[in-house]
Amino acid sequence: MKQVRVLFEPDGVVVEGQAGELLLDLALTAGLPLLSECGGQGTCGSCRVQVQSGRVRFLNRSGLEEQIAAPQEVLACQTAAAGDLVVHVPPETRLCPPDERITGYMGPEAAAFLRPGRTGFALGERTPVQLSPPSFDDPTPDWERLLEGLRQARYGRRNITANLDVLREIPPQLRALDFSVSATLVDEGCHHRLIALGQPEQEEALGLAVDIGTSNVKAELVQLRTGRVLAGAAQLNAQVRYGEDVISRIIWAQEHERGADELQDAVTSTVNSLIEELLQETGASQDQIIAVSCAGNATMISFRLGIPADAIRRAPHIAPVGLPPMISGAILGLQVHPQAAVFCLPAINGYVGGDITGGILATGLFEADSLTLLIDVGTNGEIVIGSKDWMVCCSCSAGPAFEGVGIECGLPARPGAIESLAYDPDQDRTTVRTIGDDPPVGLCGNGLVETLASLLDARVIDRVGNLVPDFPSPRMREANGEPQFVLLWREDTATAKDLVLRQGEIDNLLRAKAAVFAAVSTLLEELGLDIAQIDRLYLAGAFGSHLDVRTAVEIGLLPDLPAERVTVAGNTALVGAYITLLSSEAREQVSSLARATTYVDLSTASHFMEEFVAAQMLPHTDLERFPSLVSSEQGRAGGSSSNT
Amino acid sequence: MKQVRVLFEPDGVVVEGQAGELLLDLALTAGLPLLSECGGQGTCGSCRVQVQSGRVRFLNRSGLEEQIAAPQEVLACQTAAAGDLVVHVPPETRLCPPDERITGYMGPEAAAFLRPGRTGFALGERTPVQLSPPSFDDPTPDWERLLEGLRQARYGRRNITANLDVLREIPPQLRALDFSVSATLVDEGCHHRLIALGQPEQEEALGLAVDIGTSNVKAELVQLRTGRVLAGAAQLNAQVRYGEDVISRIIWAQEHERGADELQDAVTSTVNSLIEELLQETGASQDQIIAVSCAGNATMISFRLGIPADAIRRAPHIAPVGLPPMISGAILGLQVHPQAAVFCLPAINGYVGGDITGGILATGLFEADSLTLLIDVGTNGEIVIGSKDWMVCCSCSAGPAFEGVGIECGLPARPGAIESLAYDPDQDRTTVRTIGDDPPVGLCGNGLVETLASLLDARVIDRVGNLVPDFPSPRMREANGEPQFVLLWREDTATAKDLVLRQGEIDNLLRAKAAVFAAVSTLLEELGLDIAQIDRLYLAGAFGSHLDVRTAVEIGLLPDLPAERVTVAGNTALVGAYITLLSSEAREQVSSLARATTYVDLSTASHFMEEFVAAQMLPHTDLERFPSLVSSEQGRAGGSSSNT
């Protein structure tokens, strides 16, 4: 078979395939699943892409090869590659739009769960059913008649159940609608549950993918039939006022009467507020949301469910529940359909939760052929190393600095957040780029990394991370006895306040990046591995895909790997929630990979504290660990490559 | 192998088996399942019986045959027959005590579901689980640790779920009880649900078998671990005040606001009142009842669940639900454990319900080798004909006369109810036998049958069922223009009132027996069968096992079959509820036999009305259908064998 290469724009992803492969499948291999509402029949027009150059073969025409002369719109399900191609995928054709503020990387292994025609069930579905009316010859009871119709229409030999309130509606509804209905079912694992019966023509059934982070909660509203993401939103977790990290919140819950209830109410209100925002944006109604998939660490999920989380903070850090049984939306106080199914991605232990199993799923690490590293930097840092053969994970307390919590100028990635910052000491001038090109409000994770690197490069801070007191600029000043550096003067900000970075905040950022680096190093050491053996690194969490990998290496957040081996993967937890919302096979996969992943406790690893201390310099005490930086430094300036 | 015959006393049941068979298994074959708490290990002593004569072989002794010289207590699970035997089974050894007021016949096919060591699950169970405490080497989350323990202890690869309130208890309970707990689970079909977690030593888990009849509701409290029936009770269905039969109640429910709710409340209050009575009698607590199995016709079950039953009364008489999904006790307002599982035996259609599928299960009709007839006389009469190869059923409206409703002197079978009545015209004297030998209160079904037969024999009534006005006794009198006959004078009754039978009441009884007979005849005709081809007839429902079969034939309630082919089976609906309470295999069996039974609507059968009219005489217009009566009549008196 003839090999072909296809470049997908504007993502710049190249995949190799064989002549004759459909563009729909090639896009999937590229990790860019497309809409395909008709399941690849060529009838719905939803998988429209633009072929910009190359040779293709149209299934629905002569079948002969055609050279594309000028950019041409085609259906990806009806067009096969016949030679190398350049294909442009417009945003409206994407199953999961590439909005970096909300979503993250989806590997081809994960995207495969969304392949049109793949068996399995979305977490919730609405199915039209046409029943034959009862007669003396066919006196099947109403419920059994409906079951038979559902089995024929969609559900085969699945067990189907229903709550009493729905059972009570069935006899009058069947007759009112002349035995032609639309049935709404949710997948509860070992069975489906019928949660509503209505007219054949119903509003779209929607699902909610949620990432409940310790600091930030993010959600996407998804059309369950097509997988299309209708809108996304993010908010600070209202639990933040009870403590910055999970430990302090668990203690708070224990020490206050109704403490756990209060924490549960806080996160419920955050999720409900996101739901309101998404419904307002899309004009959809609460009852349309029939399925919710939640990623979150074990403490967040425990608080979400109101399950005592005390055991998490005490060795050996046991999660109350790995994979919670399916729960109804109303029981959790969510403003969704009262019987909406709520799926929570499984935790591995108390410190490695559903956000990470979601990440393993989203990146495809569980099927990787070569050694892969997943680093998720949130308020906790979690690390997974492995491949399809084995997976090992650990966690560390990074602190929420890179999420913008505890940093006065920090904020989550949203319009107005500085993603990129360069300080020019010669001009004493700062150049920034913000999300949405809005006036700058503060710095998100990406911006904080670049700021550290830029200030180090400009020698505003030294390698220990101290602001240099005699740096020759009015930006360097002191307030309340603490040195600070003005990144932007008030006339350049949206807040009309100077945007400053304080010494204490720099220390927080350094501790966060040191914890992550030390966790990676210690885990590699425990496994007898060298960083150079890592074939692919995914950096997930607080960072958007515009993060410059070299900059992250320069400050020692990431180990020194060639940039082409690193993918900045964004919110893979949310991607995991999205995939499990749409695919029962993905839900089964994530459950089994949670069981297959071994946890290593770093508190019992002898070298972790040493590693942590050594990693608090910029980039690291031991520069030999960063050979690429040393060589470029030598190339630039010569000299200071020895330890200080 | 040597054939042996074993006579079980005091039941008088003889079974044939082979030398070497255990008494435990032989008793089961006889339809007399025994307690066996240790599952046949010979350790618990619960299967103690008395061998009165014969040769046995003791497993736990030499293994040699021994001749029983004097009556000797043995363990049925450790003793094999070596020759013909007489065995006495004391009441305390019986799984299901032979209390005819409550229970009914259980065929060996049905009793086999209760065989010790048989796989499957009671509807609810309490299982001790010993878990290893968590450690760094085994950081399995609490819920998954418990699941693993449950799987090893009892549940294998079954799916197990839990409600949120139970999930919330797990982490503190596991630690408070040092990871050694007792878990209470209910079987919801495709999965088990954990409903409580407690100390290893817990009170016995109990179940409730309920027969919700249109006129009477009966319940048994059962120890789920052993199957032992702790107590039984019966009460009039409080719905009776809304109408005597299902049709009038459905109409009442439709014509009144909140009518269906009121009917639901009525039956709930009846069941709860029975529960209170049973708990008081046994000293058990509400929370111990973790499982409920309900038999009842489709209307009763619909009212019980609050599902609109309108379609039942309109052709083609569709049941709202055949096999309802499992529902929790609290949702139904039952005074049992809030998460108790409620199983309802499946309906075949609107007029043949779970009382009948329970009867098919209890009698073993579904596995019969030869043609078997089940007649269940309640407020409706239901008929099933078939064998292991096919089953056909029908129903007719009999009216509640034989249940004692609408008959002033009628009452359900309970202490003081007259079971047997003989009027001697020569002495003008009535002899009665009552249940419990208590002073007579009124007549139960058995008593009504014998009364009709006796009054006919004494020529107090003629063959048309009319009281003979000039019968020479002061007992024959008139009140309010209606003839009546005094069965017992007030000085002989517990009520200090004359016990009378009115002409209108006799007419009701005749209509009831005529409807049943006509339904049987019509169904046989539809199937091209003759009554003589029926190998076994089970008469279930309002009649206790002391009913004299010949008497029932004499009044034309039963077709003319030799008495040895007829079993008066009592409340087989309740037996069905009892068996399904204890065996998941029985629950599966009853579901599949419901699907396998074909319904024939008598309103479309041309001959039903003719049959009904002809059957209103005593025994029947066409005496040729009762050859055995004609011959005995001829033997006794000669003459009147022609139609009148």
Side-chain angles (χ1 to χ4, degrees):
Chain A
M1 280 296 258
K2 183 178 155 196
Q3 290 285 317
V4 298
R5 285 166 57 90
V6 182
L7 166 63
F8 285 99
E9 293 288 15
D11 306 74
V13 181
V14 175
V15 288
E16 306 211 329
Q18 311 219 313
E21 275 192 75
L22 291 174
L23 299 189
L24 190 70
D25 293 329
L26 288 162
L28 195 63
T29 311
L32 301 168
L34 307 184
L35 281 176
S36 177
E37 300 185 3
C38 66
Q41 302 294 306
T43 55
C44 70
S46 63
C47 65
R48 206 171 293 278
V49 295
Q50 193 178 51
V51 179
Q52 300 189 306
S53 67
R55 295 184 72 80
V56 298
R57 192 191 290 267
F58 293 105
L59 301 194
N60 53 353
R61 293 190 207 162
S62 62
L64 291 177
E65 288 186 21
E66 294 183 27
Q67 177 70 43
I68 299 296
Q72 186 178 337
E73 274 209 343
V74 303
L75 294 182
C77 71
Q78 300 295 315
T79 310
D84 294 350
L85 290 173
V86 178
V87 176
H88 177 84
V89 182
E92 66 274 15
T93 301
R94 290 158 189 266
L95 200 54
C96 191
D99 177 341
E100 73 184 45
R101 279 168 292 161
I102 303 299
T103 51
Y105 172 78
M106 186 191 299
E109 302 83 357
F113 287 114
L114 310 176
R115 188 186 293 271
R118 179 136 179 168
T119 57
F121 303 97
L123 190 53
E125 294 181 349
R126 197 158 275 170
T127 305
V129 192
Q130 176 69 51
L131 306 172
S132 59
S135 66
F136 278 118
D137 289 336
D138 175 12
T140 308
D142 290 341
W143 168 239
E144 277 72 13
R145 182 175 305 272
L146 180 58
L147 287 182
E148 188 49 38
L150 286 168
R151 294 207 167 99
Q152 283 180 14
R154 173 85 179 106
Y155 294 97
R157 298 184 62 80
R158 290 280 297 169
N159 283 305
I160 298 175
T161 187
N163 288 0
L164 201 48
D165 50 354
V166 175
L167 277 179
R168 287 170 180 164
E169 278 177 25
I170 293 173
Q173 280 279 61
L174 286 185
R175 285 165 183 83
L177 299 172
D178 224 6
F179 292 88
S180 169
V181 296
S182 138
T184 305
L185 285 90
V186 294
D187 179 6
E188 296 190 341
C190 75
H191 60 233
H192 270 81
R193 183 179 302 276
L194 174 71
I195 66 165
L197 206 60
Q199 296 187 317
E201 298 302 320
Q202 287 250 307
E203 290 168 313
E204 285 285 350
L206 305 180
L208 195 73
V210 192
D211 166 35
I212 304 181
T214 308
S215 301
N216 292 299
V217 182
K218 291 159 202 148
E220 285 178 346
L221 192 63
V222 181
Q223 206 179 55
L224 289 165
R225 185 173 55 85
T226 61
R228 187 190 283 267
V229 178
L230 302 180
Q235 287 186 13
L236 200 66
N237 187 336
Q239 285 183 346
V240 165
R241 66 173 175 273
Y242 302 100
E244 270 188 8
D245 56 31
V246 297
I247 302 294
S248 52
R249 290 184 211 167
I250 293 173
I251 294 174
W252 194 93
Q254 280 183 297
E255 291 181 348
H256 292 78
E257 209 186 344
R258 293 201 70 256
D261 294 344
E262 220 170 299
L263 282 159
Q264 191 186 9
D265 292 348
V267 67
T268 304
S269 74
T270 304
V271 176
N272 281 338
S273 159
L274 285 169
I275 292 172
E276 267 170 43
E277 190 179 330
L278 294 169
L279 292 180
Q280 205 147 38
E281 189 175 334
T282 56
S285 73
Q286 182 172 324
D287 266 3
Q288 280 178 268
I289 306 178
I290 61 165
V292 180
S293 181
C294 278
N297 64 52
T299 306
M300 286 308 105
I301 295 299
S302 298
F303 282 142
R304 181 72 280 274
L305 303 181
I307 302 176
D310 314 358
I312 293 178
R313 77 177 180 98
R314 297 205 180 84
H317 311 301
I318 301 302
V321 49
L323 180 67
M326 209 73 74
I327 293 159
S328 292
I331 292 175
L332 294 175
L334 294 180
Q335 286 168 14
V336 294
H337 188 289
Q339 291 189 43
V342 180
F343 174 80
C344 298
L345 282 89
I348 294 165
N349 90 334
Y351 282 148
V352 182
D355 44 351
I356 303 311
T357 53
I360 297 173
L361 183 75
T363 57
L365 192 153
F366 66 100
E367 281 191 357
D369 287 317
S370 56
L371 214 52
T372 302
L373 178 60
L374 168 64
I375 302 177
D376 191 311
V377 181
T379 306
N380 275 340
E382 289 102 351
I383 321 290
V384 185
I385 295 181
S387 66
K388 64 179 189 302
D389 301 318
W390 56 266
M391 290 182 286
V392 170
C393 65
C394 70
S395 75
C396 63
S397 174
F402 283 109
E403 298 209 65
V405 173
I407 307 282
E408 199 182 310
C409 65
L411 81 173
R414 65 174 184 226
I418 297 169
E419 276 202 302
S420 177
L421 180 147
Y423 170 67
D424 176 354
D426 298 332
Q427 308 277 338
D428 191 31
R429 209 173 59 195
T430 309
T431 320
V432 300
R433 195 186 64 241
T434 64
I435 295 176
D437 287 326
D438 288 9
V441 180
L443 293 128
C444 67
N446 287 9
L448 289 164
V449 171
E450 294 216 358
T451 300
L452 280 186
S454 179
L455 297 186
L456 177 67
D457 192 48
R459 303 188 189 263
V460 174
I461 53 176
D462 60 20
R463 278 194 57 217
V464 182
N466 286 334
L467 285 166
V468 177
D470 54 0
F471 184 81
S473 162
R475 292 171 187 268
M476 185 67 75
R477 65 191 192 193
E478 214 179 277
N480 305 319
E482 187 188 19
Q484 58 175 222
F485 189 79
V486 180
L487 298 174
L488 284 180
W489 297 109
R490 65 190 67 185
E491 51 269 28
D492 298 326
T493 70
T495 57
K497 286 188 199 159
D498 292 346
L499 196 75
V500 304
L501 193 63
R502 298 192 177 79
Q503 184 60 55
E505 295 172 336
I506 295 171
D507 297 345
N508 281 345
L509 290 167
L510 260 53
R511 272 196 292 275
K513 74 100 190 169
V516 171
F517 189 90
V520 173
S521 305
T522 309
L523 189 59
L524 285 168
E525 199 174 332
E526 292 274 311
L527 297 169
L529 293 170
D530 187 85
I531 185 68
Q533 291 172 266
I534 299 295
D535 193 54
R536 176 133 305 273
L537 185 157
Y538 294 102
L539 175 63
F543 307 105
S545 63
H546 290 149
L547 179 71
D548 184 64
V549 172
R550 289 311 301 164
T551 315
V553 174
E554 276 168 28
I555 67 159
L557 168 68
L558 290 183
D560 193 5
L561 272 181
E564 64 271 17
R565 291 203 211 163
V566 180
T567 303
V568 181
N571 192 336
T572 52
L574 191 57
V575 175
Y578 170 84
I579 299 167
T580 49
L581 189 61
L582 294 174
S583 162
S584 51
E585 291 178 36
R587 293 193 291 280
E588 279 163 33
Q589 180 70 62
V590 80
S591 308
S592 77
L593 68 83
R595 288 192 298 272
T597 308
T598 307
Y599 179 72
V600 171
D601 189 77
L602 293 186
S603 68
T604 62
S606 53
H607 296 301
F608 178 73
M609 275 315 290
E610 285 170 38
E611 285 284 350
F612 176 60
V613 172
Q616 286 192 40
M617 285 185 69
L618 289 164
H620 195 276
T621 312
D622 178 9
L623 280 182
E624 283 179 23
R625 303 236 199 146
F626 288 81
S628 76
L629 295 186
V630 173
S631 57
S632 68
E633 182 88 351
Q634 281 172 336
R636 247 191 334 184
S640 67
S641 69
S642 63
N643 294 1
T644 55
Chain B
M1 281 295 257
K2 183 178 155 197
Q3 290 285 319
V4 298
R5 284 165 57 90
V6 183
L7 166 63
F8 285 99
E9 292 287 15
D11 305 74
V13 181
V14 175
V15 288
E16 306 211 330
Q18 310 219 315
E21 275 192 78
L22 290 175
L23 299 189
L24 190 69
D25 293 328
L26 288 163
L28 196 62
T29 310
L32 301 168
L34 307 184
L35 281 175
S36 177
E37 300 185 3
C38 66
Q41 303 294 305
T43 54
C44 72
S46 63
C47 65
R48 205 171 295 276
V49 294
Q50 194 178 49
V51 179
Q52 300 190 306
S53 67
R55 295 184 70 81
V56 298
R57 192 191 290 267
F58 293 105
L59 300 195
N60 54 352
R61 295 192 204 161
S62 61
L64 290 178
E65 287 185 20
E66 294 182 29
Q67 176 70 42
I68 300 297
Q72 186 179 335
E73 274 210 340
V74 303
L75 294 183
C77 72
Q78 300 295 314
T79 310
D84 294 350
L85 289 173
V86 177
V87 177
H88 177 84
V89 182
E92 67 273 15
T93 300
R94 290 160 189 264
L95 201 53
C96 191
D99 178 341
E100 74 185 43
R101 277 169 293 159
I102 303 301
T103 50
Y105 173 78
M106 188 190 297
E109 302 83 356
F113 288 113
L114 310 176
R115 190 185 289 272
R118 179 133 178 173
T119 56
F121 302 96
L123 189 54
E125 293 181 350
R126 198 158 273 168
T127 305
V129 192
Q130 176 68 52
L131 306 172
S132 58
S135 67
F136 278 118
D137 289 336
D138 175 12
T140 308
D142 291 340
W143 167 239
E144 276 73 12
R145 181 176 304 274
L146 180 59
L147 287 183
E148 188 49 39
L150 286 168
R151 294 206 167 100
Q152 283 180 14
R154 173 84 179 107
Y155 294 97
R157 298 183 62 79
R158 289 279 298 167
N159 283 306
I160 298 175
T161 188
N163 287 1
L164 200 48
D165 50 354
V166 174
L167 276 179
R168 286 170 180 161
E169 278 177 24
I170 293 173
Q173 279 281 58
L174 286 185
R175 284 164 185 82
L177 299 172
D178 225 6
F179 292 88
S180 168
V181 295
S182 138
T184 305
L185 284 89
V186 294
D187 180 6
E188 297 190 340
C190 76
H191 61 232
H192 270 80
R193 185 179 301 276
L194 175 71
I195 65 164
L197 206 59
Q199 296 188 319
E201 297 303 319
Q202 288 248 307
E203 291 168 312
E204 286 284 350
L206 304 180
L208 195 73
V210 192
D211 166 35
I212 304 182
T214 307
S215 301
N216 291 299
V217 182
K218 290 159 202 150
E220 284 178 345
L221 192 63
V222 181
Q223 206 179 55
L224 289 166
R225 184 173 56 84
T226 61
R228 185 190 284 267
V229 177
L230 303 180
Q235 286 187 14
L236 199 67
N237 187 337
Q239 285 182 349
V240 166
R241 66 173 174 273
Y242 302 99
E244 268 189 10
D245 56 30
V246 297
I247 301 294
S248 53
R249 291 186 210 166
I250 293 173
I251 293 173
W252 195 93
Q254 279 183 300
E255 291 182 348
H256 292 77
E257 209 186 343
R258 292 200 71 256
D261 294 345
E262 219 171 300
L263 282 159
Q264 191 186 11
D265 293 348
V267 66
T268 304
S269 74
T270 303
V271 176
N272 281 338
S273 160
L274 285 170
I275 292 172
E276 266 170 45
E277 188 179 332
L278 294 170
L279 292 180
Q280 207 148 36
E281 186 175 338
T282 56
S285 74
Q286 182 172 325
D287 266 1
Q288 279 178 270
I289 305 177
I290 61 166
V292 180
S293 182
C294 280
N297 64 51
T299 307
M300 287 307 105
I301 295 300
S302 298
F303 281 142
R304 181 73 281 273
L305 303 179
I307 301 176
D310 315 356
I312 292 178
R313 78 176 181 99
R314 296 206 182 84
H317 312 300
I318 301 302
V321 50
L323 180 67
M326 208 72 75
I327 293 158
S328 292
I331 292 175
L332 293 176
L334 295 179
Q335 284 167 15
V336 296
H337 188 290
Q339 291 188 43
V342 179
F343 174 80
C344 298
L345 282 90
I348 294 165
N349 90 333
Y351 281 148
V352 182
D355 44 351
I356 303 310
T357 53
I360 297 174
L361 183 74
T363 57
L365 192 153
F366 66 100
E367 282 190 358
D369 288 317
S370 55
L371 214 52
T372 302
L373 178 60
L374 169 64
I375 301 177
D376 191 312
V377 181
T379 305
N380 275 339
E382 287 102 351
I383 322 291
V384 186
I385 295 181
S387 66
K388 65 179 188 303
D389 300 319
W390 56 266
M391 290 182 286
V392 170
C393 65
C394 70
S395 74
C396 63
S397 175
F402 284 108
E403 299 209 66
V405 173
I407 307 282
E408 199 182 312
C409 64
L411 82 172
R414 64 170 184 231
I418 297 170
E419 275 201 302
S420 180
L421 182 144
Y423 171 67
D424 177 354
D426 299 332
Q427 309 278 338
D428 191 31
R429 208 172 59 195
T430 309
T431 319
V432 300
R433 196 184 66 240
T434 63
I435 296 177
D437 287 326
D438 288 10
V441 179
L443 293 129
C444 67
N446 287 10
L448 288 165
V449 171
E450 295 215 359
T451 299
L452 281 185
S454 180
L455 297 186
L456 176 68
D457 193 47
R459 303 187 190 263
V460 173
I461 54 177
D462 60 19
R463 278 193 58 215
V464 182
N466 286 334
L467 285 166
V468 177
D470 53 0
F471 183 82
S473 163
R475 292 171 188 266
M476 185 67 75
R477 65 191 193 192
E478 214 179 277
N480 304 319
E482 188 187 18
Q484 59 176 220
F485 189 78
V486 181
L487 299 174
L488 284 179
W489 297 109
R490 66 189 66 187
E491 50 269 28
D492 296 327
T493 69
T495 57
K497 287 187 199 158
D498 292 347
L499 196 74
V500 304
L501 192 62
R502 298 191 176 81
Q503 182 60 56
E505 295 173 337
I506 295 172
D507 297 346
N508 282 346
L509 290 167
L510 259 53
R511 272 196 293 275
K513 75 101 191 168
V516 170
F517 189 90
V520 173
S521 305
T522 310
L523 189 59
L524 285 168
E525 199 173 333
E526 292 275 312
L527 297 169
L529 292 171
D530 187 86
I531 185 68
Q533 292 173 265
I534 300 294
D535 194 54
R536 177 131 303 273
L537 186 158
Y538 294 101
L539 175 64
F543 307 105
S545 62
H546 289 150
L547 179 71
D548 184 63
V549 172
R550 289 312 300 165
T551 315
V553 173
E554 276 167 30
I555 67 159
L557 168 66
L558 289 185
D560 193 4
L561 273 182
E564 64 271 19
R565 291 203 214 165
V566 180
T567 303
V568 181
N571 192 335
T572 52
L574 191 57
V575 175
Y578 170 83
I579 299 168
T580 49
L581 190 61
L582 294 173
S583 161
S584 51
E585 290 178 36
R587 292 193 291 281
E588 280 162 33
Q589 181 70 63
V590 80
S591 310
S592 76
L593 68 83
R595 287 192 298 271
T597 308
T598 306
Y599 178 73
V600 172
D601 189 77
L602 293 187
S603 68
T604 63
S606 52
H607 297 300
F608 178 74
M609 274 314 290
E610 285 169 37
E611 285 284 350
F612 175 60
V613 171
Q616 286 190 43
M617 285 184 70
L618 289 166
H620 196 275
T621 311
D622 178 9
L623 280 181
E624 283 178 23
R625 301 232 200 152
F626 288 82
S628 74
L629 295 186
V630 171
S631 56
S632 67
E633 183 89 352
Q634 282 171 336
R636 245 191 334 185
S640 68
S641 69
S642 64
N643 294 2
T644 56

